Amino acid sequence: MNKVTKLLHTRYRVNDLERTVKFYREVLGLEEVRRHKSPRGSELVFLKAPGSEEQIEITYYPGSGPVQVQPDLTHLAFEVDSLDEFAKHLAKLGIKYSDGPTTSSSGSTFAFIDAPEGYEIELIEKK
């Protein structure tokens, strides 16, 4: 029986590749794994969180028109040790949570920030 074995990466298309890559590196602390141009001309940058295998593919492909992210369309979720400490890190960068922190029924706390292009980033402090 054929079936997939693991999730490798998720793609997000953006209007400003370098601004977005800078955000993911400086704000979230992701590392750039590789960068290349596809045969059809897309510029691709792969990033990953230090404790994850899955990668995020940030793609710039102006030939398909501008990116317009609808509210609540999609988001990426990352685990953090402390939302309070992460808020201090964000404050140094002039960024605030766009929603939360909120405690769930399971006891975990979560908050959101907005990435360039309007994609949401969920930050989760597990209990």
Side-chain angles (χ1 to χ4, degrees):
M1 179 173 156
N2 290 331
K3 61 181 181 177
V4 300
T5 57
K6 67 180 175 178
L7 179 62
L8 298 175
H9 70 267
T10 302
R11 173 186 274 187
Y12 281 85
R13 194 166 59 82
V14 300
N15 294 315
D16 188 331
L17 183 68
E18 295 310 321
R19 178 176 165 231
T20 300
V21 169
K22 181 179 177 181
F23 172 87
Y24 282 98
R25 287 176 50 218
E26 293 181 5
V27 176
L28 299 176
L30 302 187
E31 68 177 82
E32 185 174 319
V33 176
R34 70 182 186 279
R35 178 186 289 246
H36 68 274
K37 194 169 236 177
S38 76
R40 71 176 186 171
S42 296
E43 294 180 47
L44 312 170
V45 177
F46 291 83
L47 303 157
K48 74 176 207 63
S52 297
E53 287 186 41
E54 179 189 352
Q55 298 176 10
I56 301 166
E57 177 185 334
I58 304 298
T59 303
Y60 174 67
Y61 184 58
S64 62
V67 174
Q68 296 179 352
V69 178
Q70 301 167 1
D72 204 28
L73 175 66
T74 185
H75 72 262
L76 294 169
F78 295 94
E79 185 175 347
V80 297
D81 291 329
S82 166
L83 283 172
D84 289 338
E85 290 302 313
F86 200 84
K88 292 175 188 175
H89 163 69
L90 292 175
K92 290 177 188 173
L93 299 171
I95 301 171
K96 295 180 182 179
Y97 290 132
S98 58
D99 187 12
T102 303
T103 302
S104 69
S105 60
S106 68
S108 294
T109 305
F110 61 93
F112 289 87
I113 57 174
D114 294 325
E117 318 300 347
Y119 292 114
E120 289 182 315
I121 304 294
E122 183 178 11
L123 302 160
I124 302 170
E125 178 184 335
K126 293 186 175 184
K127 296 292 177 184

